């Protein structure tokens, strides 16, 4: 199995044909006006309407216009179909269309219609508490493994030379800074975290999402006992890292402004569908979109 | 409904004494009123009793053993009285002429008074038996900063409990939604430079709660108590009129005299925190070299700064002032610089002949001069014993003078195998030189001391750090002798010292 980047056409086809079939499977808190923002990233920076403003390769868009006090005033998307249209044709459907900082009008450009390399939603939410997500990345696992494998090779090596020296760059998927075994290990860690959430933190609603190069583990209970603010999440981070020895990215969990990859969106760097998974035995090959496998 | 008041409600008194920063000045004054009321009998004030107790508290605070014992067994049995005695002792200390130009934060005696207050309060609280009080304190110690999500729901500390699966000991129960990093207790540092983030977390998790070892509560409370005692002291000082302050400092003499004695006998570390830095450095180095587990470093020999630093890094500081020195020495190069700065100190010699500088830390003056003891009178060659001998011609002894003296004699080689009757006869003969001598009393005292053991061990003879000796000491820096170094005590005595039963004669 080799991995490669999705082409512009594959991205368009995926969001036009395959993604709509998964919309019904989205977690219920992901609606047109639930998360406070949706966000897109582009492979090539896209111009905005104001001439001197820099081109954008990442945009965030609020789901609501707010008044001066930050309260919801007007919804930007009426239905999830509107969100979908924004994902398919961001420049044509930019909710910031009235603003000089909206994406530039497709009609005036040679590359008129940017395709999203990745689709995200905000963890901060209008209708429920800020979503708790733990990020486990295969890159970090590979890097730790490389540092352990070649620790006797001497100090002062860069990440790149260490990954090369350990053979990780050359092992499948070739050219990526991790091996498949690191992705599989990340998935195993994800289910370990889910068990910890369930057994030690009394969580009833959890979810493990394959993120393309690792996993996201969710704790979704909304009762007061699970309303962890930033300080409680820092404690959770420290416990996961130190007491349970799980290589999480601690910044993500405690940062309210974070966005997460939208389930069933495409991780374009590896052509895999981001998706909730049920078992540590999950085979990443099964996450190949039809547009690639077909 | 009338609100509850510390004057007549013990529970409120405990809460204010423990958490004064959470209460208004008027509430703290009610706590003091409760304390003062103890000195009113049948409507009459008992100022002499109050001054006596202030003196007793202030002097006791100077004794390390008393301070630490108070954590187990309260020295004062009531929170209002404790607050009054501790703050008024501190007021007396601050009024001492020697401290006229000294910032309170540099007066060691105030730290000692605070420590006695905190330890005393801790043992009172634990015997008070109201877990809700500890919970209230934990509520303050473990509360987190206000966050974007507003106040956390419910209590910070929902219980204090034992959990068999976590091993022995009590744990504070804190819901995850109320938790902050403040609740993460880490294993002890292995060295002074261990920042802490990587150390093992001792806080446990179960049922969506954190379980914080209760020992952390104690150490956090000690930190909190710095602010707490300051607040009590400020309120007390603010409430005293000029006349009351004058009355207090005129009538109090024991604390002042004890401080004077420390000044006269060169015990700077007992009264100031910032006393001469060179001397502090040398004292810590000597103790670190003495305690070094390997035989690599020794007093009187030349060593690299790295070797000396290793000994200091491994040294377990005994006092605040020692910790401030060891904390300040953060690297071999820092130590080398400090030694160079204090090269003029008589104990420091630097050898610059070699490629790497080496440093020699000498003994205090020469090593202790030896005293040959053929008769008990030979002990009076020690300047402190000579001072005691002279004073006892003028004044009756305090009991411990005689206990201490008898114990010292019993350890001398010629008396180790003697019968009790022989010792009694010789000591009676010796004591009879003093005008207050009473044969029966001396006989009783010596026999009592002979029968006294501490955990099965014979009590050690007093050493130079014994608090009761301070009244006779000429200053350890000036004295060519040391009691344990100059008298011919048997090896068995030093073995007992090594087993860690030091200072056992120092019972309060």
């Amino acid at each position: 199995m080799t991995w490669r980047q999705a082409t512009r056409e594959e991205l368009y086809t995926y969001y036009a044909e395959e993604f709509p079939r998964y919309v019904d499977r989205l977690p219920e808190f992901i609606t047109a006006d639930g998360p406070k923002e949706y966000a897109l990233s582009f492979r090539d920076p896209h111009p905005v309407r104001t001439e001197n403003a820099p081109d954008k390769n990442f945009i965030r868009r609020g789901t609501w216009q707010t008044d001066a006090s930050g309260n919801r005033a007007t919804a930007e998307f009426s239905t999830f179909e509107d969100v979908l249209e924004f994902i398919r044709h961001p420049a044509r459907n930019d909710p910031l269309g009235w603003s000089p900082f909206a994406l530039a009008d497709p009609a005036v450009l040679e590359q008129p219609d940017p395709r999203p390399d990745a689709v995200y939603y905000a963890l901060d939410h209008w209708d429920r508490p800020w979503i708790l997500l733990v990020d486990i990345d295969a890159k970090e696992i590979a890097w730790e493994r490389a540092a352990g494998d070649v620790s006797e090779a001497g100090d002062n090596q860069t990440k790149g030379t260490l990954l090369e020296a350990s053979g990780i760059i050359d092992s499948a998927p070739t050219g990526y800074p991790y091996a498949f075994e690191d992705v599989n290990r990340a998935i195993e860690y994800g289910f370990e975290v889910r068990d910890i959430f369930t057994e030690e933190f009394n969580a009833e609603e959890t979810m493990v999402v394959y993120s393309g190069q690792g996993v996201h583990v969710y704790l979704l209970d909304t009762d007061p006992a699970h309303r962890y603010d930033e300080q409680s999440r820092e404690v959770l981070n420290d416990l996961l890292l130190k007491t349970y020895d799980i290589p999480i990215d601690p910044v993500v969990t405690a940062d309210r402004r974070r966005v997460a990859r939208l389930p069933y969106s495409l991780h374009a760097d590896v052509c895999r569908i981001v998706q909730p998974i049920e078992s540590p035995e999950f085979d990443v090959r099964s996450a190949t979109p039809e547009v690639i496998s077909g | 409904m009338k609100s509850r008041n510390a004057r007549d409600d013990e529970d409120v008194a405990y809460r204010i004494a423990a958490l004064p920063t959470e209460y208004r000045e008027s509430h703290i004054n009610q706590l003091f009123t409760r304390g003062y009321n103890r000195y009113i009998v049948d409507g009459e004030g008992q100022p002499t009793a109050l001054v006596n107790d202030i003196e007793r508290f202030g002097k006791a605070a100077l004794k390390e053993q008393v301070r630490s014992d108070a954590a187990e067994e309260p020295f004062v049995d009531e929170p209002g009285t404790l607050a009054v005695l501790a703050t008024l002792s501190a007021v007396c200390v601050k009024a001492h002429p020697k401290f006229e130009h000294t910032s309170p934060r540099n007066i060691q005696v105030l730290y000692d008074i605070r420590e006695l207050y905190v330890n005393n309060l801790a043992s009172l609280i634990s015997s008070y038996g109201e877990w809700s009080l500890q919970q209230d304190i934990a509520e303050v110690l473990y509360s987190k900063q206000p966050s974007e999500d507003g106040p956390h729901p419910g209590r910070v500390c929902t219980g204090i409990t034992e959990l068999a699966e976590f091993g022995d000991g009590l744990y504070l129960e804190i819901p995850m939604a109320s938790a902050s990093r403040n609740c993460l207790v880490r294993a002890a540092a292995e060295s002074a430079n261990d920042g802490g983030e990587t150390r093992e977390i001792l806080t446990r998790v179960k049922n969506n709660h954190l379980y914080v070892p209760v020992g952390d509560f104690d150490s956090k409370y000690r930190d909190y108590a710095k602010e707490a005692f300051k607040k009590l002291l400020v309120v007390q000082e603010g409430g005293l009129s000029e006349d009351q302050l004058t009355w207090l400092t005129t009538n109090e003499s024991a604390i002042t005299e004890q401080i004077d004695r420390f000044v006269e006998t060169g015990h700077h570390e007992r009264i100031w925190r910032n006393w001469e830095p060179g001397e502090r450095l040398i004292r810590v180095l000597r103790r670190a070299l003495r305690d070094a587990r390997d035989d690599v470093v020794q007093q009187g020999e030349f060593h690299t700064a790295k070797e000396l630093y290793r000994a200091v890094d491994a040294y377990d500081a005994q006092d605040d002032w020692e910790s401030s020195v060891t904390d300040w020495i953060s690297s071999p190069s820092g130590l080398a610089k400090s030694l160079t700065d204090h090269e003029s100190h008589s104990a420091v010699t630097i050898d610059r002949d070699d490629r790497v500088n080496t440093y020699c830390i000498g003994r205090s003056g020469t090593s202790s001069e030896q005293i040959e003891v053929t008769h008990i009178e030979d002990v009076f060659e020690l300047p402190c014993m000579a001072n005691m001998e002279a004073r006892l011609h003028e004044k009756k002894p305090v009991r411990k003078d005689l206990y201490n003296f008898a114990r010292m004699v019993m350890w001398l080689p010629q008396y180790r195998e003697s019968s009790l009757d022989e010792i009694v006869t010789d000591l009676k003969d010796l004591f009879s030189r003093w005008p207050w001598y009473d044969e029966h009393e001396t006989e009783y005292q010596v026999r009592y001391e002979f029968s006294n053991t501490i955990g099965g061990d014979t009590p050690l003879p007093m050493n130079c750090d014994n608090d009761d000796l301070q009244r006779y000491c000429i200053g350890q820096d000036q004295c060519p002798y040391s009691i344990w170094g100059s008298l011919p005590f048997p090896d068995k005595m030093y073995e007992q010292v090594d087993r860690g039963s030091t200072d056992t004669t120092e019972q309060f």
Side-chain angles (χ1 to χ4, degrees), chain A residues 136-143 177-179 182-184 186 213-215:
Chain A
I136 303 171
D137 194 331
K139 293 195 287 289
E140 208 48 46
I141 294 169
W143 160 241
Y178 49 83
D182 300 310
V183 181
N184 291 333
Q213 300 186 116
V215 288

Side-chain angles (χ1 to χ4, degrees), chain A residues 59-263:
Chain A
I59 58 166
R60 285 171 174 265
R61 295 295 180 256
T63 51
W64 288 79
Q65 288 177 23
T66 52
D67 62 20
S69 315
N71 296 320
R72 284 181 274 187
T74 316
E76 294 287 1
F77 305 107
S78 301
T79 64
F80 199 79
E81 185 64 28
D82 295 341
V83 179
L84 193 53
E85 281 308 301
F86 171 56
I87 294 170
R88 283 176 180 152
H89 302 289
R92 210 182 296 161
N93 299 296
D94 191 346
L96 267 190
W98 46 270
S99 155
F101 293 98
L103 295 174
D105 188 342
V108 301
L109 298 172
E110 281 181 30
Q111 286 270 346
D113 212 4
R115 298 283 180 255
D117 234 19
V119 181
Y120 304 95
Y121 73 95
L123 295 177
D124 210 356
H125 205 275
W126 290 112
D127 298 325
R128 50 154 292 146
W130 167 32
I131 286 155
L132 195 155
L133 175 152
V134 167
D135 180 33
I136 303 171
D137 194 331
K139 293 195 287 289
E140 208 48 46
I141 294 169
W143 160 241
E144 290 289 329
R145 186 159 67 87
D149 281 354
V150 294
S151 61
E152 288 162 20
D155 298 332
N156 302 323
Q157 298 203 58
T158 62
K159 262 190 182 180
T161 55
L162 258 183
L163 290 170
E164 265 178 45
S166 64
I168 289 174
I169 293 282
D170 291 329
S171 51
T174 315
Y176 287 83
Y178 49 83
F180 279 122
E181 68 174 278
D182 300 310
V183 181
N184 291 333
R185 185 73 189 102
I187 292 170
E188 286 167 13
Y189 276 131
F191 284 92
E192 282 177 43
V193 171
R194 188 173 80 164
D195 288 346
I196 293 166
F197 280 173
T198 307
E199 288 160 19
E200 310 294 356
F201 295 93
N202 293 358
E204 290 183 357
E205 279 188 70
T206 58
M207 181 166 72
V208 181
V209 170
Y210 165 61
S211 64
Q213 300 186 116
V215 288
H216 295 156
V217 191
Y218 289 75
L219 193 164
L220 293 166
D221 296 55
T222 56
D223 59 305
H226 288 96
R227 279 185 200 160
Y228 300 165
D229 65 3
E230 185 179 334
Q231 295 170 77
S232 293
R233 288 167 189 237
E234 285 172 349
V235 170
L236 177 67
N237 279 337
D238 288 357
L239 291 169
L240 289 174
L241 282 165
K242 192 68 194 166
T243 302
Y244 299 103
D245 217 13
I246 311 272
I248 63 162
D249 177 349
V251 180
V252 177
T253 321
D255 182 1
R256 183 187 288 271
R257 286 280 294 156
R258 281 281 166 158
V259 291
R261 281 181 185 276
L262 182 69

Side-chain angles (χ1 to χ4, degrees), chain B residues 163-218:
Chain B
L163 286 168
E165 63 263 54
F166 299 153
D168 292 337
L170 288 168
Y171 289 84
L172 306 167
E173 183 183 80
I174 296 173
M176 264 304 282
S178 309
S180 66
R181 279 193 164 135
N182 202 17
C183 310
L184 290 179
V185 182
R186 292 180 188 267
E190 283 179 13
S191 79
N193 298 323
D194 183 350
E197 286 298 300
T198 56
R199 285 186 268 124
E200 185 196 355
I201 294 174
L202 302 178
T203 302
R204 301 284 175 243
V205 189
K206 188 185 169 190
N207 286 336
N208 202 25
H209 287 74
L210 295 182
Y211 289 89
V212 181
V214 85
D216 182 66
F217 170 92
D218 294 339

